[in-house]
Amino acid sequence: MIVWHVVPEFVLANEHQGAFKDVLSRTRWLEVRAESYRRFAVAGDDPACATGWPAEPAPTHILVEYTRLPRLSAWLRELHPRAKLLVRAHNIEPLQHLDNMGWRPSRGTLWLMYGMWRLFRQDLACMRHADVLLSINEWENGVYWKRLPGRARVEWLPYVCPDSLVPGRPEPYDQRTTIACLPTSQKNRKSWDLVVRFCALARQMKRLGCTDEFVVTGRLGDWGLPPCPEVDFAGFVPDLPALLGKCRAVALLSPLGYGFKTTLADAWAAGAHVLAHPDLIRRLPAQVARELIGVDTGRPATVAAAADKLRIPSRGAELHSDLRACFDGTMRAWFNP
């Protein structure tokens, strides 16, 4: 098995973003099992980026991250027609773009619609050229990927937290006193909503007598957020696994966004609960959706119910094992000699 792994440079440039962790999980798996494994970082979607790639040995498998490289995917399909071409999809890109920007972005609605159309065309191209499209969220297969025309077979490949990001010595659950929100430092409509709702959660839980520490990570100093004394804005946290090993729960309270939030699996690997908006839960695979605690800060009853559920230890370790088994099964099915 000779594997070429094609990854955009910007994904590899930020080790703390979800896309990097997602790529890392496959990198570690393929490094161990492939006879020959080569990872190529590309600056853009242009075959000219492939200058210097070896002519021999020819790859038996080519994995492209993500659907934003349709021209490279088409070129690789033509260059190595006998290789199995797999494309990883991180989310439903057109709808993710809409949720990030909103219907009235500063650059105008026409700019938004054009961006969504370009992303949709990229998805169509990847479905046409790939043998397999590996989606990150099983729910998205039925509502989007399997409805697109193309030759690619659509399979769910879950994200699994890489071993290097699993806390080495997590605290016992009954000693944990932290509830965390881990947004991207990139300010957009979705990340703003995530933090604002977390602040609302902290205020409501404090009124219920909760003594936990509420922590938001990331460089958010220039966001202009309203004051919230109930929350500790911790800034950049270099040792995220250590923080997760102290968390009773991680909160994903915005209904916006597609794909599968890597924070979910990272929290479970650390033995923490996940608090999520009910609309987000409905868009997740059934295997994991049932394990999330639904919280809508606009409905105080759900906050009180969540506070009660946090008294019970998380099944995170079991969920992490289940996701890893599913990940291994799908990878073995498609990456074989």
Side-chain angles (χ1 to χ4, degrees), residues 164-336:
S164 60
L165 300 180
V166 178
R169 295 182 178 178
E171 291 185 0
Y173 185 81
D174 59 2
Q175 297 178 21
R176 301 185 184 198
T177 58
T178 299
I179 298 176
C181 176
L182 314 173
T184 172
S185 293
Q186 179 184 1
K187 181 182 176 182
N188 56 39
R189 175 173 172 253
K190 181 181 62 184
S191 56
W192 174 276
D193 190 52
L194 193 70
V195 175
V196 169
R197 288 175 185 266
F198 183 74
C199 290
L201 174 76
R203 287 191 292 268
Q204 293 180 43
M205 291 193 72
K206 289 292 187 182
R207 286 197 292 267
L208 292 172
C210 177
T211 59
D212 287 333
E213 179 186 18
F214 290 82
V215 176
V216 173
T217 66
R219 298 186 177 97
L220 317 183
D222 60 348
W223 279 28
L225 288 161
C228 184
E230 295 85 359
V231 170
D232 174 20
F233 290 88
F236 175 72
V237 176
D239 191 352
L240 198 56
L243 172 64
L244 289 172
K246 299 176 181 178
C247 287
R248 279 214 296 161
V250 171
L252 289 163
L253 301 180
S254 175
L256 302 175
Y258 289 81
F260 180 92
K261 313 307 175 191
T262 58
T263 304
L264 294 173
D266 294 346
W268 287 328
H273 279 293
V274 177
L275 309 175
H277 193 281
D279 289 350
L280 178 63
I281 294 174
R282 283 191 284 271
R283 295 198 302 272
L284 290 174
Q287 295 91 323
V288 299
R290 65 175 70 98
E291 303 297 338
L292 279 79
I293 300 174
V295 178
D296 181 353
T297 52
R299 298 165 55 203
T302 66
V303 177
D308 289 336
K309 292 177 181 177
L310 289 179
R311 296 190 178 98
I312 302 171
S314 165
R315 290 183 57 247
E318 297 173 46
L319 297 170
H320 176 61
S321 295
D322 291 346
L323 284 174
R324 179 170 293 283
C326 184
F327 171 88
D328 284 340
T330 302
M331 289 293 285
R332 290 181 188 279
W334 293 108
F335 288 92
N336 51 66

Side-chain angles (χ1 to χ4, degrees), residues 5-118:
H5 194 179
V6 183
V7 187
E9 285 181 351
F10 73 88
V11 170
L12 300 175
N14 186 350
E15 296 184 5
H16 299 281
Q17 67 178 358
F20 177 88
K21 295 183 292 183
D22 186 42
V23 168
L24 181 64
S25 65
R26 287 181 292 286
T27 297
R28 296 290 179 257
W29 195 95
L30 291 167
E31 283 176 336
V32 171
R33 292 164 177 83
E35 177 186 351
S36 172
Y37 171 79
R38 295 286 300 272
R39 190 171 76 183
F40 302 99
V42 294
D45 184 27
D46 188 344
C49 295
T51 302
W53 291 11
E56 296 291 340
T60 60
H61 297 71
I62 302 171
L63 174 59
V64 177
E65 315 269 356
Y66 292 96
T67 57
R68 295 199 180 196
L69 301 177
R71 291 176 59 200
L72 264 173
S73 297
W75 176 75
L76 287 166
R77 170 86 283 162
E78 183 177 355
L79 185 65
H80 297 288
R82 299 182 64 182
K84 187 175 292 180
L85 178 62
L86 305 97
V87 174
R88 172 60 156 181
H90 205 208
N91 51 58
I92 302 177
E93 294 287 358
L95 297 182
Q96 182 84 340
H97 184 64
L98 171 62
D99 273 6
N100 283 339
M101 302 300 169
W103 281 109
R104 296 181 180 179
S106 59
R107 298 178 65 177
T109 302
L110 288 178
W111 172 83
L112 169 73
M113 298 300 293
Y114 175 67
M116 292 178 67
W117 169 242
R118 286 190 61 187

